[in-house]
Amino acid sequence: MAKTNNSSVPAFGMKDRLGYMFGDFGNDFTFILSSMFMMKFYTDVMGISAGVVGMVMMIARFVDAFTDVTMGQIVDRSKPTKDGKFRPWIKRMCGPVAIASFLIYQSAFADMSYGFKLVWLIVTYLLWGSIFYTSINIPYGSMASAISSDPTDRTSLSTWRTIGSTLASLVIGTGTPLVAYVTVDGNPVLDGSRVTMIAGVFSVLAIICYILCFNLVRERVEVPANNQKLDLLGIGKSLVTNRALLGIIAAALLLLLAMLGMQGMTGYVFPNYYKNAGAQSVSSLVSSVAILVVCAPLASKLAAKFGKKELSIVSCLVGAGSFLLCLIVHPENVWVYIGFSTLAFIGLGFFNTVIWAMITDVIDDAEVKNGVREDGTVYAVYSFARKLGQAFSSGMIGGLLSLVGYTEKTAFDPVVIEGIFKISCIVPIVGLIAVALALIFIYPLNKKRVEENAAELARRRGEK
C-alpha cells in the first residue's frame, strides 16, 4: 500500500506545479503538432490521401492497446529509485520521443514513391506514438498520484498540466500557421520544408521541457513495486467491472473525438473555407488566452465547490451549444466564427482542466475497493482510451474529408469547402453532448464520493 514519505522531500509547492506544467508542455510539443498538422502535412505536402492517413493513425492507436498496458505494467512493477518511481522514465525517454516526432515530418521525401512515403509514415508514427510517447506519457500521468495524496493538490496539478498544454497550443497553434504557410496563386499553401524546420525546433523545446519537469517535481507518496503474479484475466475483469474507470474512459474517448476533431479541422476551415491562414493563429491565440485567463484560475475553485464531475457536465454542454449556434448562424465572417469557437473552448476548457485530477480519483476509488494501488495500469488503460479518441478523430476527419471530395486539387472547390465548414461544427456538437451523457449516466464519482475515498485512504495510511 502506498504511504506518504515526508522524511527528506520538501513540502508540495509551486516548484511541483511548474514542473508538472512543463511535463505536459513537453508532451504537447509533439502531440499537438501531430493533431493539428500531421494530416495536413501528409495530404498537402506528401500527397497521401486523407482517408489513408486517417486509417494509419487509427490502426496505430489499436497497437497502443498492447503498448500502453504493457508500459503500465512495467511502471507498476518497477522499484522506486532515488529519483522516485515515475520521474526516471521522463529523463530516459525524452530524447527518443522528440527524435521520433521530428522524423515524421521529412519533406525531403515528398518526391519519393507513394509506397515509400506510406511506409515512412507508418514506421515513424508507430515509433513516436505507440512506443516512445507511450513510454514517457504513462509514467508522467501516473506520477500525479505520487506527488501528493491531497485531492486539492492533485486538482492543482491538473490545472497546471492544462496550463502547460494550453501554452503549447498557444505556441504551436499561433506560431506554426504564421511560419508554415506560403501564398500560391492567392491561396495559403503549406510549405513542407518549413514544417520540417518547425518540427525540429519543437523537438528540441520538448526535451528542454521534459528536463525541467524532471528537475522540479518531487514524488512524496511512496508507491512500492507491485510484485503480485501477473494475472491478465484478473486485471481485465477488475478493469471491466470498475464503473468509474469505464465512465472516465468513455468520457475521455469522446472528449478527444470532439477536441481533436476541432483542432484537426482548423487546418482546413481557416485556410480553405475562409482563405485566411492567419486567422488560425488568431483563433489559437484567443482560445489559449481565454483558457489561461478564465478556466485555469477558476477551475480548481469551481471543482472544490461543486465537484469535478458536476463542473465537467456543464462545461461540455456549453461547448456543444456554442458550435450549435455557429452551425445555425453559419457566419461568413471569419472573426464571428472565431468568437463561437473561443466560447466553445472556454466551456470545454473547464472539463479539460480538471480531467487529470479525475483519473487520480479513479485510481483512489480502485484502491479503496481492491486494496491494491495500480497507478500505471489504470492510467495506461485511460491513456489508451484517449489515444482511441485521437485515432477515431483522425480516421473520422480523414473519412469525412474524403467523403466531401477533399484532395490537393479540390481543396478550394465551393462544394468541398462548404462540407469542411459543416464538419468543423457537427463533430464537436455530437462529441461534447456524448461526453456529458457519459458523465451523467456512467461516471459515479461525484463530489461526495471523492471526498469519502480521500478520507478513507488517509485513514489507512495513518495520515491526519
Side-chain angles (χ1 to χ4, degrees):
M1 185 179 297
K3 63 181 180 180
T4 302
N5 177 10
N6 295 316
S7 59
S8 59
V9 180
F12 177 88
M14 183 55 69
K15 286 180 66 176
D16 297 281
R17 297 184 182 96
L18 288 173
Y20 208 64
M21 177 199 74
F22 277 116
D24 211 48
F25 207 154
N27 272 345
D28 283 340
F29 266 121
T30 63
F31 181 80
I32 294 180
L33 182 64
S34 170
S35 302
M36 295 184 71
F37 292 99
M38 196 189 87
M39 181 174 289
K40 185 76 171 175
F41 176 79
Y42 271 89
T43 55
D44 291 19
V45 176
M46 304 298 273
I48 307 293
S49 74
V52 171
V53 178
M55 185 61 64
V56 169
M57 297 173 78
M58 184 178 294
I59 292 172
R61 298 291 73 84
F62 285 101
V63 174
D64 294 346
F66 301 96
T67 59
D68 277 13
V69 175
T70 298
M71 191 64 204
Q73 281 289 302
I74 291 172
V75 170
D76 280 339
R77 294 173 181 277
S78 63
K79 295 181 180 180
T81 69
K82 63 180 179 64
D83 293 323
K85 183 182 178 76
F86 306 102
R87 287 174 64 231
W89 292 100
I90 296 174
K91 184 167 66 172
R92 292 168 189 158
M93 305 311 300
C94 64
V97 72
I99 293 170
S101 174
F102 173 64
L103 291 176
I104 294 173
Y105 307 94
Q106 297 304 302
S107 60
F109 297 146
D111 294 329
M112 300 292 285
S113 69
Y114 193 95
F116 176 89
K117 291 182 289 188
L118 180 58
V119 170
W120 183 263
L121 166 63
I122 293 170
V123 172
T124 56
Y125 189 67
L126 284 173
L127 280 175
W128 168 72
S130 299
I131 299 177
F132 297 132
Y133 186 83
T134 287
S135 66
I136 201 168
N137 187 51
I138 299 300
Y140 166 74
S142 305
M143 184 171 62
S145 298
I147 296 173
S148 175
S149 60
D150 188 294
T152 302
D153 291 344
R154 292 176 178 178
T155 302
S156 174
L157 287 174
S158 183
T159 298
W160 281 87
R161 176 172 183 166
T162 301
I163 291 173
S165 66
T166 303
L167 289 173
S169 296
L170 189 63
V171 173
I172 298 167
T174 303
T176 303
L178 295 177
V179 178
Y181 284 91
V182 295
T183 301
V184 177
D185 297 328
N187 295 317
V189 176
L190 198 67
D191 184 276
S193 61
R194 293 189 179 191
V195 175
T196 302
M197 177 191 67
I198 291 167
V201 171
F202 287 167
S203 289
V204 173
L205 293 174
I207 293 174
I208 293 172
C209 288
Y210 284 132
I211 296 302
L212 287 170
C213 175
F214 174 82
N215 287 327
L216 292 172
V217 167
R218 291 294 179 268
E219 296 182 22
R220 293 170 184 81
V221 180
E222 184 180 335
V223 183
N226 179 3
N227 295 318
Q228 294 184 357
K229 183 179 179 181
L230 181 60
D231 180 5
L232 293 177
L233 185 62
I235 292 173
K237 182 178 179 181
S238 175
L239 296 176
V240 169
T241 57
N242 186 335
R243 185 181 167 193
L245 180 60
L246 292 177
I248 202 67
I249 283 175
L253 193 156
L254 294 166
L255 170 68
L256 267 292
L257 190 67
M259 187 172 69
L260 296 181
M262 292 162 63
Q263 289 182 348
M265 287 307 301
T266 60
Y268 296 90
V269 73
F270 287 112
N272 296 86
Y273 182 78
Y274 287 109
K275 294 188 178 181
N276 191 336
Q280 183 178 354
S281 296
V282 175
S283 178
S284 180
L285 173 63
V286 173
S287 297
S288 298
V289 170
I291 291 174
L292 290 173
V293 173
V294 179
C295 300
L298 296 178
S300 294
K301 296 177 182 178
L302 292 174
K305 183 174 182 178
F306 300 106
K308 293 186 279 290
K309 171 183 175 177
E310 295 80 356
L311 174 63
S312 299
I313 291 170
V314 175
S315 174
C316 291
L317 292 177
V318 169
S322 300
F323 268 106
L324 178 60
L325 285 174
C326 185
L327 182 63
I328 294 171
V329 173
H330 202 300
E332 294 300 320
N333 187 307
V334 67
W335 308 114
V336 177
Y337 180 89
I338 289 175
F340 283 116
S341 176
T342 301
L343 182 60
F345 266 100
I346 291 175
L348 178 61
F350 283 107
F351 179 34
N352 210 33
T353 298
V354 302
I355 192 170
W356 304 108
M358 293 172 76
I359 188 60
T360 58
D361 293 341
V362 172
I363 293 170
D364 283 351
D365 188 65
E367 183 181 1
V368 168
K369 292 179 178 177
N370 305 324
V372 177
R373 191 158 191 95
E374 295 181 312
D375 299 71
T377 300
V378 172
Y379 188 84
V381 174
Y382 168 72
S383 176
F384 172 59
R386 290 180 63 86
K387 288 185 178 181
L388 281 182
Q390 179 191 4
F392 289 149
S393 69
S394 301
M396 175 189 64
I397 291 172
L400 290 173
L401 286 171
S402 295
L403 187 64
V404 299
Y406 181 88
T407 65
E408 186 179 359
K409 295 180 179 179
T410 64
F412 294 94
D413 286 357
V415 174
V416 172
I417 62 175
E418 176 63 23
I420 287 173
F421 172 82
K422 290 180 178 177
I423 293 171
S424 75
C425 294
I426 293 173
V427 167
I429 292 171
V430 175
L432 293 176
I433 290 176
V435 173
L437 293 175
L439 291 171
I440 293 170
F441 294 108
I442 305 176
Y443 186 72
L445 300 185
N446 56 24
K447 184 175 185 290
K448 180 181 178 182
R449 176 85 167 267
V450 170
E451 291 173 347
E452 290 173 347
N453 284 344
E456 172 60 21
L457 291 177
R459 184 190 66 78
R460 294 182 188 182
R461 296 167 186 161
E463 301 173 8
K464 294 182 181 181

